[in-house]
Amino acid sequence: MAVALEADLRAQFDLAGAAILDASGLIVAPGFVDSHTHVVFGGSRVKEYAAKLTRTPAEAKAYLQAQGLTTGILATVNMTRAASEEALTASAGERLKRMLAHGATTVESKTGYGLTLVDELKMLAVNARLQTETPLDIIGTFLGAHDFPPEMERERYVELIIHEMLPRVAEEKLAEFCDVYCDDGYYTLEQTRRILEAGRAHGLKLKAHVDQYSALGGSELCAELGVVSADHLNYTPPEAMRRLAEAGVVGVLMPIIDFAVKHPRPFDAQAMREAGLTLALATDICPGGWVESMFLVMQFACRQHGFSPEEAILASTVGGARACALTDRGQIAPGQLADLQLWDAPTLEDVIYRLGHNPVKQVIKRGRPVL
Ligand code: ZN
């Protein structure tokens, strides 16, 4: 990308035959970098979502079990295992098309609904196909440690991740990141450490889901290991926020998932700001919180978490890029990829003000119009 006045551009480059896109009256913004998603999944959990609207989580679970339905991550694991690579590519592709129409040009995509070597590899193959079959850049994350497969003893599964899955993922270069869901009832701090250290030894960059429902010390571990991003951070103590900031870890915040699950303790962005943490906003699109619009994410971040419109846009563009360890996008600057979106909005604040509105008129990916 070059950025200059028209006369200077014409002096510098031969623009004969170049396509001219007139953005008069529009706002030009960097494409969104959505740095935390579970966009590849089988089926939907609409019945569970609807049941939880009028019931406590325990009542909803009993109500659904009486109908023979499982809930939560493992329900999606069953549907994802049953789906073919083609079907998963098609359904995720549809979601990504709508995310692109809402200004996303780079989307991180996690596995974690397979929980067997074969099914995790299938999800990674879907990521690779989405990279070639959609205009978006897909940043692949191996999240074999999302939950535990019900058919296997937990410690054995951790060994499987470390000794079979990670070596295969790394050897075949199927993912850029290794991620773990560290929380009460999920991966312990000790298991998280072993998996992240193994991921790093295999050359993968690191992320982790930490402190979403409990403070097990996941953030402190993220700071110690110098991971790229620590995500969720609902229960993170202020001291741990400072350690994350000192270690240069990006905090990834997802206001729509807190809303969708009616989280008892939404994250405290103000404390993170005071700690000096670099923040990114992401959709966390998943079957438990189906959101395809970064505008909705920014609108919630501003109203519920005290982001200014400018701060929300930075966290959704350059912040998202930092959370994916990318330095070539997220800004409109010379040398950056020409990943841009054009907004039909009178002012920057209008994209926050008009709730649920999509102001995107055009999306440009690597210099080419794709919408
Ligand atoms: Zn997640």
Side-chain angles (χ1 to χ4, degrees):
M1 189 193 311
V3 183
L5 294 172
E6 184 174 344
D8 295 337
L9 279 181
R10 289 193 185 280
Q12 250 185 301
F13 300 95
D14 178 13
L15 296 183
I20 307 283
L21 195 69
D22 185 357
S24 303
L26 304 175
I27 293 172
V28 184
F32 292 130
V33 180
D34 190 348
S35 56
H36 184 137
T37 89
H38 304 259
V39 70
V40 177
F41 59 84
S44 110
R45 301 215 308 268
V46 61
K47 284 197 169 133
E48 177 182 336
Y49 192 86
K52 285 179 173 171
L53 298 176
T54 53
R55 293 170 183 84
T56 66
E59 284 167 2
K61 198 170 177 181
Y63 169 78
L64 293 162
Q65 271 174 354
Q67 297 176 47
L69 295 170
T70 40
T71 55
I73 294 173
L74 291 179
T76 299
V77 168
N78 291 337
M79 290 185 274
T80 305
R81 286 179 177 177
S84 67
E85 183 184 311
E86 285 68 29
L88 291 171
T89 304
S91 62
E94 285 299 314
R95 291 187 277 275
L96 286 166
K97 204 192 281 180
R98 292 186 292 266
M99 291 161 78
L100 176 79
H102 286 85
T105 48
T106 298
V107 172
E108 186 259 10
S109 171
K110 302 178 195 294
T111 68
Y113 293 127
L115 310 185
T116 65
L117 178 61
V118 167
D119 290 297
E120 288 291 305
L121 291 175
K122 178 173 72 177
M123 291 191 75
L124 290 163
V126 171
N127 275 347
R129 283 181 59 171
L130 292 168
Q131 174 66 41
T132 57
E133 294 174 21
T134 75
L136 292 143
D137 279 328
I138 305 295
I139 308 299
T141 294
F142 170 67
L143 178 60
H146 192 197
D147 202 341
F148 292 92
E151 66 274 9
M152 191 182 287
E153 193 267 316
R154 289 190 166 200
E155 213 25 61
R156 238 188 95 208
Y157 182 63
V158 173
E159 293 297 311
L160 183 78
I161 290 175
I162 292 172
H163 298 295
E164 290 185 42
M165 292 182 171
L166 275 172
R168 183 79 179 268
V169 170
E171 190 185 319
E172 297 185 21
K173 298 196 185 317
L174 303 174
E176 292 182 38
F177 284 89
C178 172
D179 191 347
V180 178
Y181 188 9
C182 177
D183 220 321
D184 191 21
Y186 292 86
Y187 288 77
T188 65
L189 193 61
E190 186 268 335
Q191 290 167 334
T192 302
R193 174 188 290 280
R194 279 160 60 208
I195 294 166
L196 290 179
E197 285 180 344
R200 171 165 285 167
H202 283 290
L204 293 166
K205 295 187 276 275
L206 306 180
K207 288 177 168 291
H209 292 62
V210 290
D211 303 339
Q212 189 181 6
Y213 291 103
S214 60
L216 299 185
S219 288
E220 292 84 343
L221 178 65
C222 284
E224 180 197 326
L225 296 178
V227 304
V228 175
S229 78
D231 303 30
H232 288 293
L233 308 178
N234 298 68
Y235 287 86
T236 307
E239 178 52 32
M241 291 178 190
R242 279 190 289 278
R243 280 158 79 173
L244 287 172
E246 278 163 23
V249 177
V250 179
V252 178
L253 305 178
M254 296 155 284
I256 298 293
I257 197 68
D258 282 3
F259 170 74
V261 302
K262 210 173 177 186
H263 200 291
R265 183 162 156 175
F267 60 81
D268 183 354
Q270 185 52 32
M272 294 181 213
R273 263 181 223 109
E274 284 164 13
L277 202 56
T278 298
L279 299 178
L281 288 168
T283 58
D284 196 16
I285 179 173
C286 64
W290 192 316
V291 55
E292 295 164 348
S293 166
M294 280 301 294
F295 293 99
L296 204 59
V297 170
M298 294 197 301
Q299 288 155 8
F300 270 65
C302 290
R303 183 68 283 180
Q304 298 287 82
H305 300 281
F307 280 67
S308 68
E310 293 80 3
E311 194 188 2
I313 293 165
L314 285 171
S316 304
T317 52
V318 67
R322 295 288 174 273
C324 293
L326 297 167
T327 53
D328 62 353
R329 65 197 76 189
Q331 300 172 74
I332 301 177
Q336 291 270 294
L337 289 178
D339 287 1
L340 302 168
Q341 49 179 329
L342 306 186
W343 295 341
D344 185 4
T347 69
L348 271 188
E349 289 84 356
D350 277 270
V351 308
I352 300 304
Y353 175 53
R354 296 182 61 185
L355 304 176
H357 177 66
N358 180 11
V360 173
K361 282 290 156 217
Q362 179 58 272
V363 178
I364 294 148
K365 179 63 187 169
R366 293 178 184 262
R368 292 181 194 285
V370 288
L371 186 65

